[in-house]
């Protein structure tokens, strides 16, 4: 009989406690942005965790310089708020220092940071339903209809579609008890079977869709990337309509022979959370980023990453390079939504999501992306839609019909590109008191559970 040597669990954080991470927020060096500097002991996944903290605070990363060769990790991020201004809110600065400083690393805040959700209830009051499957027009309406029939309330949801696949995460609870449904095995089984029945309309194969359940919360964006990546949404050609609406990112892979790196360069139209999406995909593909440079000029971004695989190898074969290029192109496109954006606000109730999506479906609209949350007693939702058959933009006649059908209890605002048009179902001062011309700002569709 043998025995294992004792391993002190405190050893895992020993290097961090000896050399605690240093974070500084500098508002004096640059006149048009805030510098966030992070110095820390290097470890796997640290870059993604730092970028995740900054993007979850709705900060825009305009430039970044990363170096993590050897045992030390050094980052400099140039960030602004959503209006392009320096970070002046002391609460946000404190959150950055708390999450990226010694306490954040040792306590595991970065690893366990949950998805963002709103409401007064705790994470244990919700069950997270994850669904991945083949997309088709009206699918969200059918899923929300099943949940409404089962008296399951959707407190928050996020839906992404890409390359004929759909991934969604729904936070639900029982309407009667206001608690999650994870403890009721029979009910979970019923929900799962009915969701699978919806997807079987796309084919007879059971692998057409997968549904899973968990208590508490997940990081929504991170998980959606993982679901679509595992579903291989990067494979297959885009449809003609998608090619017409999508500007393909330029991804190239070279080799730095002197240092033994593969060099990945991504050039595309700039947008919020672009760096997070790219780093997230590189992490999922088991790559280590040793150096990186990120910059934005006007409306376009250029990002360069010096990487190796976890085993130290570079990308040498054309097959390996082609797969990485496809995966990064998919990562950039997943969050891009063309067409019309509908923002709605109404009093929350069971079946509200089903009612709204049925109206969209009856008017021949397909949901390409969606975000739903609750703020107090109000449900606030954003739907990105296009014509279900042609994929083209929605005309003014359809918008007017939507305004009539949605009803007096709901407010609707319509956005397209940089233009913003208000279509309030209420009139006069009553409508103006609800939403201003600048509109309801959705920096996050879901808020953090922790302060």
């Amino acid at each position: 009989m043998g025995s294992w040597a004792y391993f002190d669990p405190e050893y895992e954080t020993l290097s961090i406690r000896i050399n605690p991470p240093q974070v500084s927020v500098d508002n004096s060096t640059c006149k048009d942005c805030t510098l966030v500097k992070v110095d820390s002991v290097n470890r796997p996944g640290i870059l993604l965790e730092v970028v995740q903290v900054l993007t979850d605070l709705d900060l825009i990363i305009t430039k970044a310089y990363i170096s993590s060769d050897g045992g030390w990790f050094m980052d400099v991020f140039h960030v602004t708020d959503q209006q392009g201004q320096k970070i002046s809110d002391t609460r946000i600065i404190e959150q950055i220092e708390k999450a990226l400083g010694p306490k954040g690393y040792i306590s595991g805040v970065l690893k366990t940071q949950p998805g963002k959700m709103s409401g007064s209830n705790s994470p244990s009051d919700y069950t997270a339903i994850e669904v991945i499957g083949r997309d088709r027009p009206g699918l969200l309406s059918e899923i929300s209809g099943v949940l409404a029939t089962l008296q399951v309330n959707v407190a928050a949801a996020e839906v992404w579609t890409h390359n004929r696949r759909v991934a969604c995460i729904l936070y639900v609870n029982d309407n009667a008890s206001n608690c999650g449904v994870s403890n009721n095995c029979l009910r979970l089984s019923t929900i799962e079977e009915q969701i699978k029945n919806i997807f079987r309309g796309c084919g007879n194969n059971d692998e057409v869709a997968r549904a899973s359940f968990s208590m508490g919360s997940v990081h929504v964006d991170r998980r959606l990337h993982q679901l679509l990546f595992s579903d291989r949404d990067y494979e297959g050609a885009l449809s003609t309509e998608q090619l017409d609406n999508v500007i393909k990112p330029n991804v190239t892979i070279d080799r730095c022979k002197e240092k033994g790196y593969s060099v990945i360069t991504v050039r595309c139209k700039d947008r919020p959370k672009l760096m997070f999406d790219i780093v997230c995909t590189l992490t999922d593909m088991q790559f280590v980023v040793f150096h990186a440079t990120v910059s934005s000029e006007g409306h376009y971004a250029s990002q360069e990453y010096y990487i190796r695989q976890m085993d130290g190898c570079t990308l040498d074969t054309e097959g390996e390079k082609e797969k990485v290029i496809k995966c990064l192109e998919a990562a950039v496109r997943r969050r891009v939504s063309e067409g019309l954006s509908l923002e709605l606000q109404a009093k929350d109730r069971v079946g509200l999501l089903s009612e709204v999506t049925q109206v969209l479906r009856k008017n021949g609209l397909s949901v390409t992306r969606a975000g739903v949350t609750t703020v107090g007693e109000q449900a606030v939702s954003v739907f990105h839609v296009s014509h279900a058959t042609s994929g083209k933009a929605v005309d003014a006649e359809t918008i007017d019909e939507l305004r009539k059908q949605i009803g007096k209890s709901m407010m609707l605002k319509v956005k397209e590109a940089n233009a913003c048009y208000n279509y309030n179902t209420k009139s006069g001062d009553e409508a103006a008191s609800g939403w201003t011309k600048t509109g309801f700002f959705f920096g996050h569709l879901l808020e953090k559970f922790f302060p």
Side-chain angles (χ1 to χ4, degrees), residues 298-450:
H299 297 293
Y300 292 90
S302 177
Q303 303 194 7
E304 190 173 63
Y305 298 89
Y306 290 74
I307 67 163
R308 294 191 194 114
Q309 299 181 63
M310 293 290 287
D311 59 6
C313 296
T314 56
L315 296 168
D316 298 322
T317 69
E318 290 303 316
E320 290 176 324
K321 294 179 182 179
E322 183 180 355
K323 180 180 178 181
V324 172
I325 290 173
K326 286 182 177 180
C327 290
L328 291 176
E329 288 175 348
V332 173
R333 289 194 303 254
R334 284 172 193 148
R335 202 189 291 270
V336 175
S337 297
E338 300 293 334
L340 210 62
S341 171
L342 308 178
E343 299 181 0
L344 298 99
Q345 182 177 355
K347 187 174 182 180
D348 188 32
R349 61 182 183 274
V350 174
L352 178 61
L353 178 60
S354 177
E355 293 173 23
V356 174
T357 52
Q358 281 182 26
V359 172
L360 298 178
R361 183 181 182 183
K362 288 177 181 177
N363 283 274
L365 301 181
S366 179
V367 177
T368 57
R369 256 188 74 204
V372 179
T373 190
T374 53
V375 181
E377 295 184 351
Q378 293 294 308
V380 190
S381 308
V382 177
F383 298 94
H384 295 268
V385 298
S386 61
H387 277 296
T389 53
S390 65
K392 295 181 180 179
V394 183
D395 53 54
E397 184 178 347
T398 303
I399 294 172
D400 289 336
E401 192 62 31
L402 285 174
R403 179 171 56 84
K404 295 175 184 177
Q405 294 180 23
I406 281 179
K408 295 182 178 180
S409 62
M410 200 174 304
M411 288 184 288
L412 168 67
K413 188 178 70 172
V414 181
K415 282 185 177 181
E416 186 172 11
N418 294 324
C420 177
Y421 305 94
N422 286 327
Y423 289 86
N424 289 314
T425 56
K426 296 181 179 181
S427 59
D429 295 337
E430 188 179 6
S433 65
W435 289 15
T436 64
K437 188 175 181 180
T438 55
F440 187 92
F441 176 66
F442 276 80
H444 282 321
L445 293 170
L446 309 170
E447 292 181 351
K448 297 182 187 70
F449 278 117
F450 62 89

Side-chain angles (χ1 to χ4, degrees), residues 25-38:
V25 181
D26 178 5
N27 264 324
S28 60
T29 302
C30 294
K31 64 178 182 179
D32 55 356
C33 67
T34 299
L35 299 188
V36 178
K37 303 175 184 178
V38 182

Side-chain angles (χ1 to χ4, degrees), residues 193-204:
E193 186 60 30
Q194 294 207 24
I195 289 176
K196 285 187 175 181
N197 286 338
I198 292 171
F199 279 94
R200 288 191 184 109
C202 302
N204 296 321

Side-chain angles (χ1 to χ4, degrees), residues 167-398:
C168 61
I169 298 176
L170 305 101
Y171 284 103
V172 303
N173 56 19
D174 179 76
N175 183 48
S177 64
N178 204 31
C179 296
V181 296
S182 295
N183 294 328
N184 191 329
C185 295
L186 179 60
R187 198 163 194 197
L188 288 179
S189 179
T190 302
I191 294 173
E192 182 179 14
E193 186 60 30
Q194 294 207 24
I195 289 176
K196 285 187 175 181
N197 286 338
I198 292 171
F199 279 94
R200 288 191 184 109
C202 302
N204 296 321
N205 189 347
D206 287 340
E207 294 301 317
V208 165
R210 301 190 306 275
S212 59
F213 305 88
S214 64
M215 285 295 290
S217 59
V218 296
H219 190 275
V220 177
D221 291 2
R222 177 88 174 92
R223 187 62 185 142
L224 287 170
H225 274 299
Q226 291 175 334
L227 288 171
L228 286 167
F229 176 77
S230 66
D231 198 51
R232 306 171 75 92
D233 70 319
Y234 52 85
E235 294 185 341
L238 294 173
S239 65
T240 303
E241 294 81 4
Q242 289 172 315
L243 287 172
D244 291 339
N245 294 328
V246 174
I247 299 176
K248 189 175 181 181
N250 182 11
V251 183
T252 59
I253 299 178
D254 298 310
R255 186 175 179 184
C256 178
K257 295 182 180 179
E258 295 81 5
K259 297 292 184 179
Y261 297 124
S262 291
V263 184
I264 296 178
T265 304
V266 181
R267 294 184 176 90
C268 62
K269 189 174 181 180
D270 196 19
R271 60 168 175 77
K273 301 190 178 183
L274 178 62
M275 185 179 182
F276 171 83
D277 295 337
I278 292 173
V279 173
C280 188
T281 298
L282 291 174
T283 303
D284 287 341
M285 298 187 73
Q286 302 297 304
F287 289 112
V288 179
V289 177
F290 290 89
H291 303 279
T293 304
V294 173
S295 63
S296 302
E297 294 182 3
H299 297 293
Y300 292 90
S302 177
Q303 303 194 7
E304 190 173 63
Y305 298 89
Y306 290 74
I307 67 163
R308 294 191 194 114
Q309 299 181 63
M310 293 290 287
D311 59 6
C313 296
T314 56
L315 296 168
D316 298 322
T317 69
E318 290 303 316
E320 290 176 324
K321 294 179 182 179
E322 183 180 355
K323 180 180 178 181
V324 172
I325 290 173
K326 286 182 177 180
C327 290
L328 291 176
E329 288 175 348
V332 173
R333 289 194 303 254
R334 284 172 193 148
R335 202 189 291 270
V336 175
S337 297
E338 300 293 334
L340 210 62
S341 171
L342 308 178
E343 299 181 0
L344 298 99
Q345 182 177 355
K347 187 174 182 180
D348 188 32
R349 61 182 183 274
V350 174
L352 178 61
L353 178 60
S354 177
E355 293 173 23
V356 174
T357 52
Q358 281 182 26
V359 172
L360 298 178
R361 183 181 182 183
K362 288 177 181 177
N363 283 274
L365 301 181
S366 179
V367 177
T368 57
R369 256 188 74 204
V372 179
T373 190
T374 53
V375 181
E377 295 184 351
Q378 293 294 308
V380 190
S381 308
V382 177
F383 298 94
H384 295 268
V385 298
S386 61
H387 277 296
T389 53
S390 65
K392 295 181 180 179
V394 183
D395 53 54
E397 184 178 347
T398 303

